[in-house]
Amino acid sequence: MKNAIIRVLFAMAVGLTLILWPDEATRYLVIATGILFILPSVISFLIYLFSRNKRFPFDGIGSLLLGVWFIAMPDMFANLLMYILGGILIIAGAHQTISLLIARKWTPVSLFFYITPILILAAGIIVVCNPESIRNFVFLIIGILCLIYAASELLNAILFLRKKPSPKTHIDKSNIEDAEVIEE
């Protein structure tokens, strides 16, 4: 029950943060990613300094520079990510639409099948044209889903975890018999 309460509180904190401050949440997520790039470079430099093998860690320099760049310009990277995701949606929607057009050569294709790829294509175009507001919208949706998860987890903990049987601490082995091997 204690673990469920911790999960509920964490999900509520994340959800409310994403809903109330989506810009800051995005910025701090990119900064945290930058820190995750810096940590391996620091470790590789420490290994370089304290090991007998004096091979310079060039990979650590790249990781360090990329991490510092993420931290210095988080909004640029967040928008860049939205452009990449929007481009992927455009390519996916266009590819699916073209595949359906090609499939019409050998079988009838209902207009119903074009709805999803056109919506995907339109979503990609909207993301590419307006990445910042879409980014905030995505974080708003994720925040709402975190709050729904928290409510669901709390309800499950109240309804089901209280009824969970306690684990048996002692197993009676006195009436366990050895199996017989039957050969045919």
Side-chain angles (χ1 to χ4, degrees), residues 70 76-92 123-125 127-129 131:
F70 268 59
M76 184 199 80
F77 280 101
N79 285 340
L80 180 64
L81 178 64
M82 295 311 293
Y83 284 121
I84 291 169
L85 293 175
I88 290 170
L89 288 174
I90 290 171
I91 291 168
I125 292 169
V127 168
V128 168
C129 291

Side-chain angles (χ1 to χ4, degrees), residues 9 14 30 35 57 63 81 88 91 97 100 110 138 141 149 157 172:
L9 292 175
V14 169
V30 174
I35 291 169
S63 180
L81 178 64
I88 290 170
I91 291 168
T97 303
L100 289 172
S110 169
V138 168
I141 296 299
Y149 167 78
D172 183 19

Side-chain angles (χ1 to χ4, degrees), residues 106-145:
W106 65 82
T107 186
V109 177
S110 169
L111 288 177
F112 175 77
F113 289 100
Y114 288 94
I115 293 172
T116 303
I118 289 173
L119 288 175
I120 292 170
L121 180 65
I125 292 169
I126 291 170
V127 168
V128 168
C129 291
N130 199 1
E132 192 168 320
S133 65
I134 296 300
R135 182 182 72 207
N136 292 345
F137 177 71
V138 168
F139 276 102
L140 176 71
I141 296 299
I142 293 171
I144 291 169
L145 291 172

